Amino acid sequence: MDSSGKVLQFDRNAAAVLGGDAGELLGAQVDELIVGAREPLTEVVRHGRERTAVLPVETRHGGVHDAVVTLHPMNGGDPDLAALAVVRVPVPLADRFLDPAVIRRALLDDALPRIGATLDLDLLARGLMEVLVPHFCNSGGLLLLESLVDADEPPAGGSPVLRRMAIRFDDADPAWDATFPTGETLSYPERTPFATCLRTGEPVLAPMDGDQAARLAAAWRRPPVADLLKGASMLLLPIVGADRGVLGMFVCVRDPAHRPFDAYDVELGTGFAARAAIFIESARRYGRERATALTLQRSLLPTGLSAPSSVEVHHRYLPGSRLIEVGGDWYEAIALPGARVALVVGDVAGHGVRAAVTMGRLRTAIHTLAGLELPPAEALERLDSLMRSLGEREPHFATCAYVVYDAVIGRCEVASAGHLPPLLAPPGGEAVFVDVPPAPPLGIGDGRPVVSRAFTVEDDTLLFLYTDGLVENRARDIDDGLDRLRATFDRTGDVGRPRGPRPLEELCQATLDGVFDDQHRDDIAMLVARLRRIPADDHVSWELPADAAAVRRARGLIRQRLADWKLDDLADSTVLMASELVTNAIRHAGGRLTLRLVREGGLVCEVFDSSDGRPRIRSADDSFAESGRGLHVVSRLATRWGVRRTGGGKAVWCEQELP
């Protein structure tokens, strides 16, 4: 067009759509052909910028359609040339399946590569049907073998069982959904087009006259089928896998108002089904691997958490979204002797079965190290050594936060290996992140020791451990996530009310608000504990001198305390074991020592001294066997016993079950 809107040149489609011959279009005014085109043309000429508008266009057959008209400014050798108009007119419904080139492009080029990137089988099935309808047929469904969809379902020996994964139709008739429900499992009888397609793996073209549609309706006992398929053209396209034979089929239906399927449609549809088979097999393999990893991870996660009676512990685990593979997040709460508890949260780098297996190894190691009562820093050093040995074959690394809380004295000891800082919320105070000395993640440590931090907390303090999936995603900076988390626990973030004994389940749910809808959500593991000391009447300690008289005094103190606790039945055994432990401390450690009794879950007797030497039971043929007889006695009388390091030496303890 020139600047006045006179048509200077046009293509053959313009003449076919807008009507008339070349003589009628050449030299005509554009606003005579497209009502309202003058105004956008004026803006294009004046400002030199592209303009798009939706304008009514009357075709040569008398129909009026809303067309998308885009005008592009043009500057060329011809001084009269001003603009190019591209008019996009929707194809009339009756002509939708007439142009093979349009069908091929819609089926194989436009949407299929985008849909093929989907690894979720349900989403993939819906996406494939959105391509077939409306570009290839008026209605249709995708059916897959039940053994392909459900890993626990063995292949059928007789007629194959299929599941309808998706259905789509373009006439807004609810009878389609009611007659062919999504998710239905079914098997087709022999000597039907459906059974033939599944058996031979070849496309089947089946015109549906009134009698055939009625027979199908009677066989399925679904009367609406007779009306839905009467006079339709039906094409069955098998989905053939590379190594599993026929995986299922597409059922494509064109109603009587449209051109029936022909040999060229069969060729196009077969090409579409072949590409769809590749995507379906990829989604199936991904789904199987994800299900395996998820099952493995859930079987490896703890089924129960243990802690002293004064410590309330709650956890939440949220697997990653279906767009993300299963990760290696885990959590632990392990009750330790003497009213102590180990609280652990970790995150293995990577996703899938490998991450889940590594997580299981670390959980086993954590339980072993906790049983050895190693301090948090030393436990993480041992884990780092384990991860480095695992990484000799394949690189592994993980992050971990390890906390030990002593419910007798209210003391926490925290160590971290590359993990996000724990959150501490004292009662009525501001929530803060614990400043833990940094250390590299497990598996990439440089051999330097891990440093822990110890501090005392008030009763009813909340300790929150979590993994990075809670505070970090693609759309949000991690600092924003940490601020939101702190506000959730902070006194001012609790909807304006002062913090009280807020249920831990409610707190966990509050931290997850806004996370469920994240389609790229990583795994989330969290552990929250309300820390309290055990009652003062449930523990007692005495300072004893390092002389022989201390043994006699210890016996009297223990008998008196057990009488107060009404545990006289344990007095003799406890006195005997305490005598042996105190004697060993006097003989081998020297200096003053501390004797402590703790009634929590069981009766624990502890002797603290200033030596870091670890006592051991000597064998019977040892020439110094006499010096190890005391620990033989302790090991026989106690339910369990052990040694742990302390800041000033060690503690030897023994535990008995309460009557």
Side-chain angles (χ1 to χ4, degrees):
M1 296 173 293
D2 61 12
S3 58
S4 67
K6 184 175 68 175
V7 176
L8 304 178
Q9 187 178 349
F10 56 89
D11 65 0
R12 60 184 178 87
N13 287 334
V17 172
L18 299 178
D21 54 22
E24 294 178 356
L25 290 182
L26 192 63
Q29 290 293 319
V30 68
D31 56 348
E32 297 175 357
L33 303 173
I34 306 173
V35 178
R38 167 70 64 181
E39 180 182 351
L41 173 63
T42 302
E43 293 187 17
V44 168
V45 173
R46 180 183 302 167
H47 302 290
R49 291 197 300 266
E50 177 184 309
R51 172 73 190 278
T52 299
V54 178
L55 301 173
V57 173
E58 183 176 357
T59 65
R60 63 188 303 174
H61 303 292
V64 178
H65 299 275
D66 286 334
V68 179
V69 181
T70 303
L71 289 97
H72 304 270
M74 299 190 69
N75 297 311
D78 188 346
D80 294 331
L81 187 61
L84 168 69
V86 179
V87 184
R88 297 176 178 86
V89 182
V91 177
L93 186 62
D95 300 336
R96 196 169 30 168
F97 307 128
L98 292 182
D99 192 336
V102 173
I103 298 177
R104 174 180 289 276
R105 179 176 178 180
L107 285 187
L108 304 179
D109 297 334
D110 289 347
L112 202 56
R114 171 181 54 82
I115 295 172
T118 303
L119 291 176
D120 182 272
L121 194 55
D122 292 326
L123 294 177
L124 176 63
R126 291 196 293 269
L128 292 172
M129 291 311 305
E130 288 173 0
V131 175
L132 281 179
V133 180
H135 301 298
F136 187 68
C137 55
N138 299 107
S139 59
L142 168 59
L143 298 99
L144 297 178
L145 294 177
E146 179 68 4
S147 59
L148 180 77
V149 180
D150 188 352
D152 298 327
E153 182 72 19
S159 299
V161 178
L162 297 101
R163 181 186 298 184
R164 188 176 291 107
M165 302 296 297
I167 183 174
R168 189 170 174 84
F169 46 92
D170 64 1
D171 60 0
D173 188 348
W176 287 103
D177 258 335
T179 309
F180 305 104
T182 301
E184 178 187 24
T185 56
L186 68 156
S187 59
Y188 292 104
E190 293 294 333
R191 296 184 298 277
T192 62
F194 308 95
T196 302
C197 178
L198 293 173
R199 185 182 68 254
T200 63
E202 298 292 335
V204 175
L205 186 58
M208 283 284 151
D209 56 25
D211 293 339
Q212 289 174 312
R215 285 196 296 270
L216 278 180
W220 291 346
R221 298 180 181 178
R222 298 181 183 183
V225 170
D227 294 330
L228 292 174
L229 299 183
K230 182 179 180 180
S233 176
M234 185 167 64
L235 175 62
L236 307 178
L237 301 171
I239 303 171
V240 183
D243 55 357
R244 291 176 56 91
V246 178
L247 308 178
M249 62 180 170
F250 289 103
V251 179
C252 307
V253 177
R254 286 182 184 172
D255 62 36
H258 294 79
R259 180 180 65 83
F261 291 109
D262 58 16
Y264 192 80
D265 293 316
V266 173
E267 179 185 347
L268 280 178
T270 302
F272 176 83
R275 294 194 186 183
I278 299 174
F279 302 148
I280 290 172
E281 285 203 306
S282 298
R284 178 190 63 84
R285 285 193 295 268
Y286 168 78
R288 292 285 176 88
E289 181 177 345
R290 188 178 190 277
T292 301
L294 189 58
T295 302
L296 177 63
Q297 186 189 48
R298 287 178 174 173
S299 67
L300 293 175
L301 287 172
T303 56
L305 304 177
S306 58
S309 59
S310 63
V311 177
E312 183 184 358
V313 180
H314 195 83
H315 75 280
R316 287 292 294 271
Y317 171 74
L318 185 67
S321 64
R322 296 178 69 90
L323 301 182
I324 302 293
E325 290 187 271
V326 174
D329 296 15
W330 90 95
Y331 54 89
E332 287 286 358
I334 308 169
L336 303 175
R340 295 176 302 120
V341 60
L343 305 170
V344 189
V345 163
D347 184 3
V348 177
H351 297 85
V353 175
R354 172 178 168 272
V357 171
T358 303
M359 179 269 287
R361 290 172 170 173
L362 288 178
R363 275 202 61 228
T364 302
I366 282 288
H367 272 271
T368 302
L369 296 173
L372 294 175
E373 299 198 77
L374 297 179
E378 186 174 348
L380 292 184
E381 290 174 0
R382 300 286 183 91
L383 283 179
D384 178 63
S385 177
L386 171 65
M387 290 293 288
R388 279 187 285 173
S389 64
L390 293 176
E392 291 178 358
R393 292 186 176 181
E394 187 177 5
H396 289 70
F397 71 91
T399 65
C400 183
Y402 193 125
V403 181
V404 172
Y405 174 68
D406 190 331
V408 176
I409 59 176
R411 180 176 177 272
C412 276
E413 186 174 1
V414 184
S416 174
H419 203 79
L420 292 168
L423 183 68
L424 207 63
E430 304 294 333
V432 295
F433 290 104
V434 180
D435 185 14
V436 185
L442 305 174
I444 59 174
D446 53 7
R448 289 182 295 180
V450 179
V451 180
S452 63
R453 179 186 173 191
F455 50 88
T456 302
V457 298
E458 304 176 55
D459 282 357
D460 288 320
T461 294
L462 296 176
L463 176 70
F464 186 69
L465 303 175
Y466 54 96
T467 55
D468 58 358
L470 180 65
V471 295
E472 185 179 22
N473 62 24
R474 296 184 178 183
R476 182 179 60 212
D477 186 77
I478 189 171
D479 291 334
D480 295 334
L482 292 173
D483 290 340
R484 183 187 61 84
L485 177 61
R486 179 165 48 194
T488 302
F489 280 80
D490 194 78
R491 176 166 50 86
T492 59
D494 191 10
V495 199
R497 70 180 184 185
R499 180 166 33 226
R502 190 176 181 185
L504 298 187
E505 169 66 23
E506 181 184 330
L507 276 170
C508 288
Q509 185 61 44
T511 62
L512 290 173
D513 287 346
V515 178
F516 283 105
D517 58 351
D518 184 4
Q519 294 299 311
H520 295 275
R521 183 189 66 246
D522 197 0
D523 284 32
I524 298 173
M526 63 177 70
L527 193 68
V528 59
R530 180 173 280 115
L531 307 177
R532 298 189 188 97
R533 294 173 174 83
I534 63 174
D537 188 53
D538 285 340
H539 64 90
V540 62
S541 60
W542 303 281
E543 292 284 337
L544 299 175
D547 55 46
V551 179
R552 187 183 310 109
R553 185 185 175 200
R555 293 170 183 165
L557 293 171
I558 290 174
R559 287 189 182 277
Q560 180 60 47
R561 174 57 66 166
L562 293 184
D564 295 340
W565 284 344
K566 295 180 174 53
L567 296 176
D568 300 274
D569 293 343
L570 299 179
D572 291 339
S573 58
T574 306
V575 163
L576 180 54
M577 289 188 289
S579 299
E580 297 296 341
L581 297 182
V582 171
T583 300
N584 283 343
I586 294 173
R587 179 178 300 175
H588 299 291
R592 296 188 66 83
L593 52 94
T594 301
L595 172 65
R596 185 167 77 174
L597 290 181
V598 179
R599 182 179 59 176
E600 169 53 44
L603 179 64
V604 178
C605 177
E606 300 172 306
V607 175
F608 298 81
D609 60 50
S610 58
S611 171
D612 59 358
R614 183 180 181 88
R616 63 186 180 91
I617 301 177
R618 300 185 184 276
S619 61
D621 58 352
D622 196 318
S623 59
F624 298 97
E626 182 68 23
S627 63
R629 181 177 297 177
L631 292 182
H632 277 290
V633 174
V634 172
S635 65
R636 290 297 183 91
L637 295 178
T639 305
R640 54 178 178 165
W641 73 280
V643 183
R644 72 173 184 273
R645 294 179 184 174
T646 64
K650 69 176 182 298
V652 186
W653 58 270
C654 57
E655 184 179 23
Q656 301 173 85
E657 294 182 355
L658 294 176

